[in-house]
Amino acid sequence: MRYIPNTPDDRAAMLRDIGVSAFEDLLSAIPGNLRLNRPLNLPDGKSEFDVKSIMRSLARKNLNTVDHTSFLGAGSYDHYVPTAVNTLSLRSEYVTAYTPYQPEVAQATLQVIYEFQSMICELYGMEAANASMYDGGTALAEAIMLAAAQTRRTNILCPPNVHPLYLRVARTLVEPQGITLQPVPLRDGGIDRAALESLLNGGIAAVVVQYPNFFGIVEDISPFITAAQANGALAIVVADPLAMGVLEPPGSFGADIVVGEGQSLGNLQSYGGPYLGLFACKANLIRRMPGRIVGVTRDVDGRRGFVLTLQTREQHIRRDKATSNICTNEGLCATRATFYMSMLGPRGLASVGEACLHRCAYLRQQLTGIPGVHLAFGGPHFKEFAIRLDKSVEGFLHYMAERKVLAGVPLKWFGLRMDDSLLVAVTETKSLEDLDGFAAGVKQYLEGGK
Amino acid sequence: MQSESQLIFELSRPGRVGYDVPSTPREILAAQVPDLPRRKVPPKLPEVSENLVVRHYTNLSTRNHHIDKDFYPLGSCTMKYNPKINDELAGIPGFGGLHPFQMTNTAQGALEVLQRLSDALLEVTGMDAITLQPAAGAQGELTALLMFRAYHQKHGGRPRRRVIIPDSAHGTNPASIVIAGYEVTELKSGADGLTDIQALKSALSDDVAALMITNPNTVGLFESRIAEIIELVHSVGGLVYMDGANLNAMLGVSRPGDMGFDACHINLHKTFSTPHGGGGPGSGPVAVKSSLAPFLPSPVINTRDGVHWWDWNRPDSIGHVHSFYGNFGMHVRALAYVLSMGGDGLRAISENAIINANYLRVKLSGTYEVAYDRPCTHEVILSGDRQKARGAKTLDIAKRLLDYGYHPPTVYFPLIVHEALMLEPTESESRETLDEFIQVMLEIDREITRDPELLKSAPHTTPVRRLDEAGAARNLDIRYTAK
Ligand SMILES: Cc1ncc(COP(=O)(O)O)c(C=O)c1O
C-alpha cells in the first residue's frame, strides 16, 4: 500500500474521532446484500520492481516504431519528438494538475492552452481554436454537429478518401440526431468534382474534405470549398497539422471549420491513444464551438491573466443545451503539441514538411519499375501513398515483420475495395537505408525470395 | 507581488531555432518533388531556441497548483496521487511506440495489457463485458446511451424517447443524453439527498429508455434503495446506467453489476490514478451486462489459445466512438496501478477514501453546515449558507484557501446544495494533512468575523489575483496575433 499514508493507528484514531467503532459502520447505507462480502478476485499487490518486470515483459512482445523501422501511417505517424518535449511534459506541474477551474492557481495550464490555440490558428490559417477534442475522428463528429446546428440542415457529403475510421466515428455519434453522411464518388483517389457538385442541394449542411487525403494525395481543395459555400453549406477540412509548414493552409481557401489529428505534433503513437483532436473555425462560429476555450483578461491589480471563457456553451453550465458533452479533454497532449510547435517554429515545421516530401518522392521513385508493384494513384503526395501488389499484401507484411520492419497498413481493413493495396508512410525519421531497404524488401518478396 | 508572465510568442526573434531536422541525404534530395499548393506566408509560430523554450515552460509551470505539490480536495474529480512508475511505463518504446494498425501478431503484449485490464475492471464492477474505447467519462456515458438506443431498437423496434436523471446529475449527463438523440427528464431529489421514489414512479412510462444515476451520488451518499429503483425502471422496459465517476468509494465494497445496473463507466483518470494532465487525457471504459454486449463499440478483443486479435465483425455494434482503440497510454497506467494495488489494495483505497471524507465531515460539522449530516462515502458536501449570512460567499472561502496553499474544493456543484463546497480528500492524504486543512477551514471561518475584506479580496499570494472573467468574455481575445 505504498500509495496510502494512513497507518492502522491513524485509521483507528480517525474512526474514533468520527464516532464509529469499525469501518463497516460507515457503510450502513449500503444494504447487506449489496456489499461485496468477499475479497476481490485479483492477485495481491506487487512491489514496484515486480510490476515493472511484468509490464516490461509485455512490452517486449511487441514490435515498435522506435526500435524498429515503421512505414505505418493512416492517421498515426512516427515524426521525431525532441527530447525536451518529453522532459518538459513529464513535469508534475503539467501532469498532475486538473482542469483549470481556479484560474489563480492554474495560470500555467491556461497560458499553455492560450498559446496552443494561437499556434493551431496559425497552422490552419483560422480565426479561433479550442483547447482540444479527444482525437481526429471525434473532432470531425463535433464539426459535423456544429455544421448541422448552424445551417439547420441534416445531410453531410463525405467522400471515402476521408479517413474511414473518422467517418465511422462520425456516423456513430451523429446519426442518432438525424444527421446522415452521404458518400461522394472518387476518381484516381481524389474527389470527383462534377459528382460532388451534382450532389449539392439545399439539404446539404457541409462538405467534408481531407487534406492531404487518406491516400496521401494533396488535392486542390479550393473548388470544393467554394462549391459548398455557394450552396449555403459549410466547408469542413480534415487537415494534417504537420503538412502546414509546406502546404497552403485550409483557412486560405476559406474553410469554415478545420479539424485534425494532433498526435504527430510531439505526441507518442501509443497504440492509438491518447491523441489530440484539433478544432479550429471562423470567428462567426465561435459561440457554437465545442469544448473549452481560454481567453486573456486582467486581474484586480491589472496584470494579464488567463481564464476559461465563453463557458456558457459548456455542459457544466448549459447542461442539455450545451454545444457538446465534452468535459475532460486531451490537455496534456495539447501541452506536448505546444512544446513541440515552440521548438520547431516556422522553419522547423517547414523543414520537417520538406523532409517528408522528399522521402515520399524518393520512395515512390524507387518503387516505380519494380515488377509487381504499382503506385495506386497519381497526383502530388505529401508523406504517404498507396501501392498495389501482385502478391498477397498480408504475406508482404509478415515477410517484412520477420525482418523487424512494419511495412504498411493494409487497405483491406477499411472496406474500400482495395484489398490488394497498402498504405505506406514516410516521415523525416526514415534514413536512406530504410527507404532502400523497403524497396529491396518488396522486390525480394515479390520474387519469392527469402 | 509576482511579475507578469511572458508569452512564448514574446520571446520570438527572427532567426532563432529550437530544432534541427534530420539531415536528408543527397540521393533523396535528388528526387523530384511534385507541384503542390505551396504555403505563401509561413505560420507565425514563435522562433525560440531550445533552452529558452525549456526555461519558459519551466518557469511557467510554477504557476500551477498540482497534486504532487499539495492537497487538492476537488470533489467529484478524485485528485489522488499518480504513481510515477505508471508514466514511465507508458512511455517505453514497447508501449509508447506502438502503431494502432500494426498487425496483431506484432502487438500481442499490447492486447494482453488491454485484456488484463478489462478482466480486472469486470471483477471490480461485477459486469460481463467491456469496451476500453471511450476517451473520457462523458464519452463513456454517450457510448452507453447509444448502446441502449441500439438495444431498444433491436428488442422493441423503437429507440424510446426519454432518459431520466436526478437534478443532482453532473452536466455531462444531460449533454450526453441530447447527443444520443434523447430528451432529458429531470427528477427532483428528495430532502435526504437521495432519489425520490415517488417522483421516479410518476416519471416512468414505456417511453423511458433509461435512468442515469451516479452511485454513490453527487452528494456523496450511497443510494440505499438502488435495487428497488433499478427494478422500477426495468419494469417499464427501461435500462439503468451508473455514472461511475465515484467508483473510488466502491472498490471491493459494492459492485454496480450486483446492484442490478445494466451499464456503467469507469473514469480511469479518477479511480485508477491516471493523471489529469491539466484537463486530460482521461479514459472512460464502459462495462455492461451480457444482454448489451453485442452492441459494444467495434472492435473488441478476442482470445483463443493465448493468442489475441481484434474482432471487427460485429453486426450489432453501435460503431466506433474513437478513431482507434481508446487511450491506450492510460490503459497501461491503469493496469500497472491494478498490479501494484492488488485486490486488497483496491479495497484499502476505498476504505481510506471513505474514512478521510468522514473525518473531514465530523471535524468541520460544528462550523460549516454539512448538507446531509450522516455517514458519507468518499466525499462530503458542505453548504456555505451560514458563512454567507455572515458576509462571505463560498467563492470567497474558496479563494481564501488559495492563500493557504490549498486547492479549493469543487464549488457550486451539485446544483441542489446552496453555496456548495464539495470535498473529496481521497486515500492519498495523510491524517496530518487533513488536520492542517481543517485548522485552515476553521481559521477562515474566524476571519469572516475578524476581517471580512480579507476574504472578499482573496487571494493575495497567488501568481495572479482575482481575474475579470466577465471581461474575458466581453472583449474576446483567444489567440495571440503578432503586433
Ligand atoms: C459525476 C461525474 N460524471 C461525469 C463526469 C465526466 O467525466 P469526464 O470529465 O471524464 O468526461 C465527471 C467528471 O468531471 C463527474 O464528476
Side-chain angles (χ1 to χ4, degrees):
Chain A
M1 316 284 168
R2 55 190 176 272
Y3 310 140
I4 301 177
N6 282 339
T7 64
D9 285 351
D10 287 327
R11 281 176 55 131
M14 292 170 87
L15 288 170
R16 229 178 5 256
D17 282 359
I18 293 167
V20 292
S21 48
F23 168 73
E24 311 304 321
D25 297 346
L26 293 174
L27 303 181
S28 55
I30 308 179
N33 64 337
L34 297 186
R35 293 191 209 165
L36 186 66
N37 293 312
R38 61 163 175 86
L40 285 170
N41 184 17
L42 292 171
D44 287 344
K46 295 180 175 48
S47 70
E48 181 173 306
F49 178 85
D50 290 334
V51 172
K52 214 181 233 187
S53 312
I54 294 171
M55 295 299 284
R56 282 186 164 278
S57 73
L58 291 176
R60 273 193 300 274
K61 293 186 182 179
N62 307 314
L63 284 190
N64 71 69
T65 66
V66 179
D67 300 322
H68 311 115
T69 306
S70 166
F71 294 88
L72 305 184
S76 172
Y77 301 93
D78 61 346
H79 291 288
Y80 180 68
V81 180
T83 306
V85 171
N86 279 324
T87 311
L88 281 173
S89 68
L90 283 172
R91 287 187 71 87
S92 293
E93 293 87 343
Y94 294 113
V95 176
T96 75
Y98 190 59
T99 302
Y101 287 136
Q102 295 289 339
E104 296 88 347
V105 289
Q107 286 298 299
T109 294
L110 287 159
Q111 182 174 328
V112 167
I113 296 173
Y114 178 81
E115 293 177 355
F116 170 78
Q117 290 168 183
S118 306
M119 293 180 194
I120 296 304
C121 287
E122 287 295 337
L123 286 198
Y124 283 154
M126 301 299 285
E127 290 165 322
N130 73 9
S132 75
M133 313 303 304
Y134 301 129
D135 66 6
T138 58
L140 175 58
E142 295 275 8
I144 287 172
M145 289 186 236
L146 189 163
Q150 171 77 5
T151 59
R152 297 162 187 267
R153 300 177 181 181
T154 54
N155 266 0
I156 313 288
L157 293 183
C158 296
N161 62 5
V162 173
H163 197 304
L165 287 183
Y166 293 9
L167 292 180
R168 283 190 215 172
V169 170
R171 192 170 297 125
T172 305
L173 299 180
V174 308
E175 276 184 355
Q177 294 154 68
I179 302 170
T180 52
L181 308 190
Q182 197 180 328
V184 181
L186 299 184
R187 186 188 278 178
D188 191 24
I191 297 170
D192 181 331
R193 185 167 159 188
L196 174 86
E197 281 169 5
S198 72
L199 288 171
L200 281 165
N201 62 48
I204 305 292
V207 174
V208 180
V209 299
Q210 187 170 323
Y211 176 70
N213 71 27
F214 183 62
F215 306 118
I217 307 166
V218 182
E219 291 182 72
D220 177 8
I221 57 174
S222 173
F224 310 136
I225 293 173
T226 313
Q229 290 168 346
N231 184 62
L234 301 192
I236 300 173
V237 180
V238 181
D240 178 358
L242 245 287
M244 295 299 120
V246 294
L247 297 186
E248 191 69 341
S252 297
F253 301 121
D256 295 286
I257 305 174
V258 184
V259 296
E261 175 51 67
Q263 172 270 327
S264 49
L265 299 170
N267 282 286
L268 303 182
Q269 294 194 282
S270 191
Y271 207 49
Y275 282 6
L276 171 63
L278 306 176
F279 194 106
C281 65
K282 283 186 177 166
N284 67 319
L285 300 176
I286 289 176
R287 274 157 217 279
R288 288 196 191 271
M289 245 205 299
R292 298 194 180 116
I293 304 174
V294 169
V296 177
T297 190
R298 298 266 154 201
D299 76 355
V300 289
D301 295 332
R303 272 174 304 201
R304 178 170 66 188
F306 301 86
V307 290
L308 292 175
T309 193
L310 300 181
Q311 293 189 71
T312 51
R313 300 163 299 107
E314 287 190 73
Q315 46 75 27
H316 63 283
I317 311 259
R318 278 302 277 286
R319 301 176 74 83
D320 54 331
K321 307 267 182 335
T323 54
S324 167
N325 68 334
I326 194 167
C327 176
T328 292
N329 50 37
E330 303 292 305
L332 195 60
C333 300
T335 303
R336 292 181 65 108
T338 309
F339 299 163
Y340 180 81
M341 290 185 279
S342 301
M343 304 247 327
L344 262 71
R347 289 159 197 260
L349 193 72
S351 48
V352 169
E354 290 298 340
C356 293
L357 267 174
H358 274 99
R359 283 162 175 74
C360 181
Y362 177 81
L363 185 57
R364 277 171 72 80
Q365 182 187 299
Q366 297 307 302
L367 294 178
T368 308
I370 298 179
V373 185
H374 313 274
L375 299 178
F377 305 116
H381 288 75
F382 174 58
K383 65 179 176 194
E384 189 158 23
F385 56 97
I387 57 176
R388 256 186 307 117
L389 297 183
D390 286 353
K391 260 171 83 176
S392 152
V393 164
E394 283 184 3
F396 173 58
L397 297 178
H398 286 296
Y399 179 85
M400 295 297 274
E402 279 165 24
R403 286 150 186 80
K404 303 267 188 267
V405 175
L406 298 164
V409 177
L411 287 173
K412 179 178 160 184
W413 293 346
F414 300 100
L416 291 163
R417 297 208 193 91
M418 291 178 69
D419 293 4
D420 55 355
S421 302
L422 75 158
L423 212 48
V424 180
V426 284
T427 64
E428 77 283 5
T429 60
K430 296 294 141 318
S431 67
L432 184 61
E433 296 74 55
D434 295 336
L435 300 173
D436 288 345
F438 184 93
V442 176
K443 193 152 178 281
Q444 283 156 13
Y445 168 70
L446 289 168
E447 287 167 356
K450 262 249 141 238
Chain B
M1 187 165 112
Q2 304 204 19
S3 62
E4 210 171 73
S5 143
Q6 280 188 302
L7 288 165
I8 186 80
F9 294 95
E10 292 161 350
L11 305 176
S12 178
R13 297 291 178 273
R16 272 191 188 145
V17 289
Y19 173 83
D20 299 306
V21 74
S23 62
T24 302
R26 250 181 311 107
E27 295 86 337
I28 296 179
L29 281 175
Q32 179 66 42
V33 168
D35 274 345
L36 296 163
R38 286 275 177 176
R39 185 155 193 152
K40 292 187 251 332
V41 184
K44 290 187 209 67
L45 296 178
E47 298 182 61
V48 194
S49 60
E50 174 177 324
N51 57 321
L52 292 188
V53 171
V54 170
R55 186 172 288 168
H56 172 71
Y57 288 113
T58 302
N59 279 312
L60 183 58
S61 76
T62 64
R63 298 164 84 88
N64 257 5
H65 187 88
H66 53 107
I67 189 67
D68 284 359
K69 178 163 180 275
D70 217 326
F71 192 32
Y72 213 134
L74 198 66
S76 212
C77 302
T78 314
M79 295 303 290
K80 60 161 70 176
Y81 175 62
N82 310 133
K84 301 303 159 197
I85 167 91
N86 301 350
D87 293 329
E88 179 182 310
L89 288 170
I92 63 178
F95 293 133
L98 301 185
H99 189 286
F101 291 140
Q102 61 189 76
M103 286 184 304
T104 51
N105 68 326
T106 68
Q108 286 294 300
L111 286 150
E112 198 172 328
V113 165
L114 299 175
Q115 185 65 61
R116 285 200 195 189
L117 176 63
S118 298
D119 292 345
L121 296 177
L122 289 175
E123 168 63 8
V124 165
T125 55
M127 292 287 189
D128 303 322
I130 191 165
T131 175
L132 303 180
Q133 218 178 95
Q139 217 198 12
E141 296 164 15
L142 177 56
T143 301
L145 289 168
L146 294 172
M147 290 172 66
F148 288 1
R149 202 181 167 87
Y151 172 93
H152 286 307
Q153 236 145 6
K154 182 101 178 172
H155 293 287
R158 64 196 175 96
R160 300 184 169 218
R161 199 168 53 88
R162 293 188 294 133
V163 176
I164 302 176
I165 51 168
D167 55 3
S168 58
H170 192 263
T172 50
N173 291 189
S176 300
I177 289 168
V178 170
I179 295 176
Y182 284 112
E183 281 169 33
V184 177
T185 298
E186 203 174 82
L187 274 193
K188 204 164 143 37
S189 300
D192 56 359
L194 301 179
T195 303
D196 178 337
I197 304 272
Q198 276 318 314
L200 174 64
K201 279 185 182 157
S202 46
L204 284 174
S205 74
D206 67 358
D207 229 6
V208 169
L211 168 72
M212 284 179 96
I213 187 168
T214 311
N215 197 30
N217 67 20
T218 60
V219 296
L221 301 174
F222 189 90
E223 292 278 356
S224 307
R225 295 171 75 181
I226 192 63
E228 185 185 350
I229 291 169
I230 292 174
E231 238 175 75
L232 280 170
V233 180
H234 283 167
S235 72
V236 298
L239 296 166
V240 190
Y241 179 76
M242 191 181 99
D243 178 329
N246 292 341
L247 204 64
N248 210 47
M250 293 290 110
L251 302 171
V253 172
S254 181
R255 310 192 303 170
D258 299 337
M259 297 174 209
F261 283 103
D262 300 291
C264 70
H265 82 255
I266 304 143
N267 295 69
L268 297 185
H269 47 301
K270 300 184 179 183
T271 311
F272 290 86
S273 85
T274 77
H276 281 93
S283 176
V286 172
V288 298
K289 289 284 167 64
S290 56
S291 56
L292 287 160
F295 308 102
L296 286 169
S298 174
V300 297
I301 296 175
N302 261 344
T303 303
R304 195 183 299 134
D305 302 331
V307 177
H308 311 283
W309 74 95
W310 287 112
D311 180 3
W312 293 82
N313 183 19
R314 310 268 305 166
D316 286 329
S317 163
I318 57 165
H320 298 252
V321 299
H322 186 272
S323 305
F324 303 104
Y325 318 114
N327 285 345
F328 177 76
M330 303 297 122
H331 304 149
V332 171
R333 289 172 172 89
L335 178 61
Y337 189 63
V338 168
L339 292 173
S340 294
M341 298 311 296
D344 51 339
L346 291 176
R347 163 96 186 188
I349 288 171
S350 290
E351 290 192 3
N352 283 283
I354 292 172
I355 292 172
N356 280 356
N358 277 286
Y359 189 71
L360 289 181
R361 173 177 63 84
V362 168
K363 297 274 176 168
L364 290 171
S365 64
T367 308
Y368 292 86
E369 186 182 327
V370 177
Y372 306 96
D373 201 3
R374 54 185 196 269
C376 57
T377 56
H378 66 310
E379 54 197 6
V380 57
I381 287 72
L382 307 178
S383 161
D385 267 352
R386 283 184 209 159
Q387 284 69 22
K388 191 176 182 187
R390 289 164 48 222
K393 290 180 298 201
T394 278
L395 185 72
D396 303 328
I397 297 168
K399 297 301 182 196
R400 185 63 185 144
L401 272 169
L402 297 172
D403 284 333
Y404 288 95
Y406 296 116
H407 196 283
T410 295
V411 291
Y412 301 107
F413 174 78
L415 307 177
I416 59 171
V417 174
H418 290 173
E419 298 290 311
L421 288 147
M422 181 189 220
L423 285 85
E424 180 179 9
T426 84
E427 74 284 1
S428 300
E429 301 306 331
S430 67
R431 183 178 163 208
E432 300 92 281
T433 302
L434 300 184
D435 282 337
E436 286 159 18
F437 175 77
I438 289 160
Q439 288 315 314
V440 165
M441 285 293 283
L442 303 183
E443 175 63 15
I444 290 177
D445 178 74
R446 287 190 290 270
E447 285 175 351
I448 301 174
T449 317
R450 215 167 53 223
D451 187 358
E453 258 321 296
L454 197 60
L455 271 81
K456 281 189 209 147
S457 56
H460 305 274
T461 60
T462 45
V464 291
R465 296 186 50 218
R466 275 196 212 194
L467 291 149
D468 180 7
E469 300 195 17
R474 220 173 21 247
N475 306 310
L476 205 59
D477 173 357
I478 59 174
R479 63 170 294 195
Y480 174 82
T481 9
K483 315 247 147 41

